[in-house]
Amino acid sequence: MARDRSVFDLISFVGLTAVLLLCVQQRIAAQTSPPSAPAPMASQNPFLGSVPSGQAASTPLPLSLKDALSRALNYNLGAIEANEDTRAAHAVRLRNLNTLLPNLSARVTSTVEEINLRTLGFFISIPGVNISTIVGPFGVADARAVFSEEVFNWADLKNLKASTGAEKASQYAYKNDRELVVLTTVDSYLLVIADAATVDSTRAQVDTAQALFQKTSDQHEAGVVASIDALRSQVELQTQQQRLIASENQLAIDKLTLARVIGLPNGQGFQLVDSVPYAPLAEMRLDQALHQAYAARADYLSAEEQVRSAELAMESAGAENYPTLSVYTDFGDAGSPNFGTSHEVFTFQAALNIPIFQGTRVRADKLQANSSLRQRQAELEDLRGRIDDQVRTAFLNLKSSSDLVAVAKSNIDLANQTLKQAQDRFLSGVADNLEVVQAQESVASSQQSYIASVYSYNLAKVSLAEAVGIAEQSALQYLGAY
């Protein structure tokens, strides 16, 4: 029964861990790769990549969770791409601002010209008189300062405000991507911790199985136990050795993944400094968490800014029917053939442009802007619902994984007691070593369950912090790794 119970617990823990990982992966995938991302990169999750920085050292690097987060926020590909998207949005705002700013330039020209009046339609013919149609060559020197500005263009003003909102939305999106970088990094770090604990646990099981095999072999040679007992203990030893090989390989693979996430130099070895054991999280009410999520989550704030930007873009489309006012002036000196005979010259021009008929262009722009606005509004409402779902799911996972930690810890004690009693019965000759092998399997599965439950609980804590929108500033506090 003990073995059945531990197997059931292991299945439960594996299931919970799979659900948590699925939630994390879905949340990251839903918020990565902007719609304009190139098709060849669409299949690559940028949050699992990085820009390796530095030179690999020959000695393993001590790596704390704080150091891992610091490196990831600087070198993770998702964070870098989000930062560049923000800079691109800033460039769009500057371009829209430029349409409203005055243009001031200086111009100096020196011209030498000869004109054929025939080409201009001037030709006089007097019999007996030779009249030349060639004028020049003559020179003109001109130096001017030129100023121009569109004094009033309501559509451009609205475009500027819309691009300002889009830039702010991009800044919030960058902050949200940093939250996802934290979640991805912590997940990778916790997974390596769990792998290392699995290796240590499996190695201990190998030692236990080796001791049982040695004792059984000695007893078999002495004729005390049957051959099947020796074979059974050998099978158990080799089973544990297989598990050790597999767990060591998985540890090496997950360490490579962590190194890629945080941008370590290629080939750089490292050793984790933090163990992140189980530590209860201070209680938080669901209503408080939801209120904080809507106030602090950067993706929600970004979606709100996108709605406001779309509203301004719609107003800009409607303002294309409004008159525009622009001015042009220049002032300078001009003379012929040079500045020695120059005199001041200037031009001033004010232009009022009144649209009368522009076909269906304005109507099309308004329709397109309205469609974009309705999409942004729908996305905002969908995100509001997803945030509610994510926060509630995080609370459920946190409570469930916390309860499973307690059960798994108790199960380890029971499994160890069962193993002790089975060993005593075997040494006393009351039973064969089948009970010992079964008890060893029970201990192994209960330890794996505990490792999985602690990993699930710690991941659930960080998932809650990310769901609320405070992962970057509170992840270390939630995990107790300052």
Side-chain angles (χ1 to χ4, degrees), residues 259-298:
R260 285 285 299 134
V261 168
I262 65 178
L264 283 178
N266 295 330
Q268 175 64 63
F270 63 90
Q271 295 293 334
L272 300 190
V273 174
D274 297 324
S275 58
V276 193
Y278 172 80
L281 181 65
E283 290 188 6
M284 178 188 299
R285 295 205 315 269
L286 178 60
D287 57 340
Q288 291 177 332
L290 288 170
H291 177 76
Q292 186 172 7
Y294 293 127
R297 274 191 58 156

Side-chain angles (χ1 to χ4, degrees), residues 310 313-314 317 364-375 377:
M314 186 173 176
D365 290 346
K366 291 173 66 176
L367 181 61
Q368 183 176 3
N370 180 261
S371 175
S372 178
L373 172 60
R374 296 179 65 176
Q375 289 180 27
Q377 290 173 335

